[in-house]
Amino acid sequence: MSADSKQPQPPEDGAATTADSTSLLLSHARLTDGRTVDVRLVGGRIEAVGTAGSLTAVGARVDLAGYLLLPAAAEPHAHSDTALSADSPGPVSYAPEEVQRRATEAALLQLGHGATALRAHVRIGDVHGLGPLEAVLQARRSLRGLVDLTTVAVPRLLTGVAGADGLAMLRDAVKMGAGVVGGCPDVDPDPAGYVEAVLEVAAEHGVPVDLHTHGDDPARLARLAAMAGGLRPGVTVGPCAGLARLPRDIASRTADHLAAAGVTVVSLPQGAGGTEPRGAAPVRLLRAAGVRVAAGSGAMRDVANPVGRGDPLEAAYLLASLGGLPAEEAYAVVSAEARAVMGLPEVRVEAGFPADLLAVRGERLSGVLSLAYSRIVVHRGRVVARTSAVREYCDSAAALDLPRQARPERPERPPEPGSPPAGPVVRS
């Protein structure tokens, strides 16, 4: 199954030069089909995949024995400008340096969880103008080579006299570097007019659309689908949690409208937060209708969700445990489907595909979604994040024959006074 003859291609979107000059061998990695393989990465892509022990390391080597190797996850619905602000004393600061700091820290946290690409919804207008967007774009520049960050410009109002400034600012935001236009039509006095304005700007600049809507008005969603049909490069809506509370026949007809128009839905299984009721879009119903569905994390430790983790594996876990999706489908919703929604190239653990990968300690995907602690994240062919977790148990007659992993060799030291006796070590 080796593909050494495959010519590596340059990394996407101007990757850092370190990716071009780095060769990395991932050895003894387990795949979801049960095989154990070596994977060689060159120039930001997978150059070869072979049976364990069959490939030689040209450069660095990472032993992935005990790890499950997956395509990396992606985050299609982040809120980088407000992330990590829940514990701020007093009003949340929108000073550019504060927004940039929060956006950078949040992106690194999500990267550590396994998301190598993020789509950040950033509010523009009101008293802050384009300041938050410029700050997130600056964070994007500082993160180049670690994680890919795309911004969605989110104006408050776009119709009537009050919306004129918002519409002008939306156009300015695209010129500044916002890669997607969006917003919240539900809060505008004229939701249909709001959508029409966003679609017009998107058509002018050839950028995607990503709208935030609760989705509890089927007629409004049907109108949105009719307006969006055929727009390229595409229209995404979310979190659409309100769809789950509609009668099933009405929700099914609405899903049919979205599918016919090619509109994608991004669900937030952790809940959208804020003033909206907790809940998530009916993912199985939407997928049965032919709607492309991705899942994101949404708010990350801000006022809308003070305990949001920004972890795509948690979103997949919720889709499996509460939404009833098989583990493989649940993970695809936060990886392959999320990347497709964001216009990113497909990733497979096969020669020729981008080297954006996530290794999680575990043997099967169901176990990984249950206890995903230790993770190694590869972006554009190099390790960009590593998390290692070790759980220890004290010696006890009740201790079972647990899997153990010895500590690294080091000089013996007497135990601290009052410390528990050493016991089994389980690496998670």
Side-chain angles (χ1 to χ4, degrees), residues 215 217-222 225 243 246-260 285-286 289 291:
D217 186 332
R220 186 181 297 172
L221 273 181
L243 265 176
L246 295 175
R248 186 172 182 84
D249 60 331
I250 296 176
S252 294
R253 285 199 298 272
T254 305
D256 290 339
H257 289 305
L258 296 173
L285 180 148
L286 290 164
V291 178

Side-chain angles (χ1 to χ4, degrees), residues 55-82:
L55 300 184
T56 57
V58 179
R61 175 179 175 273
V62 176
D63 185 1
L64 291 184
Y67 282 81
L68 189 68
L69 186 61
L70 304 164
E75 173 54 70
H77 195 114
H79 290 282
S80 299
D81 53 339
T82 59

